[in-house]
Amino acid sequence: MAIKAKAKGSRNERKSIAYLEAKGYQCTKSGGSLGAWDIIGLGREDIILCQVKSNSLPRKREMETLRNFICSPYCKKVVHVWKDGISIPFIKII
């Protein structure tokens, strides 16, 4: 079961990268989910820090970590939630 969940998470990260790239961002994925953010998207005027989830928002503790993450005022902190069967993410701005 864990392998399926990891594969689903990786698929959703790739979908978020495609979504952000279509909006003009150049993206890089955090290796091994070791950082607070799964994807960093560099735009002409801003930077997006993106956490990707499947079907639900992060739990309270993780959301608190994301909120308290110190970054430049040019950064936007967002969570992409990919619901099963839906072709665009629910986007929560933190």
Side-chain angles (χ1 to χ4, degrees):
M1 184 89 161
I3 294 172
K4 288 182 182 181
K6 181 169 174 50
K8 182 178 188 176
S10 293
R11 269 193 317 274
N12 286 338
E13 287 172 355
R14 287 190 300 272
K15 288 183 350 185
S16 283
I17 288 171
Y19 180 86
L20 290 169
E21 286 178 342
K23 301 230 175 259
Y25 291 90
Q26 289 188 332
C27 298
T28 187
K29 184 177 160 205
S30 177
S33 295
L34 297 176
W37 304 98
D38 294 322
I39 299 166
I40 299 171
L42 302 173
R44 290 188 178 271
E45 298 178 9
D46 62 353
I47 299 168
I48 288 193
L49 303 175
C50 182
Q51 178 61 245
V52 180
K53 293 295 179 184
S54 299
N55 293 312
S56 63
L57 286 167
R59 295 181 187 203
K60 186 177 180 179
R61 190 174 209 177
E62 184 178 9
M63 189 64 91
E64 192 174 303
T65 298
L66 299 176
R67 269 195 197 99
N68 294 332
F69 187 86
I70 298 171
C71 60
S72 163
Y74 297 106
C75 291
K76 292 179 185 174
K77 300 186 280 188
V78 301
V79 177
H80 282 187
V81 179
W82 291 93
K83 302 248 183 197
D84 292 342
I86 306 296
S87 62
I88 59 170
F90 165 76
I91 300 171
K92 169 121 177 122
I93 299 170
I94 299 175

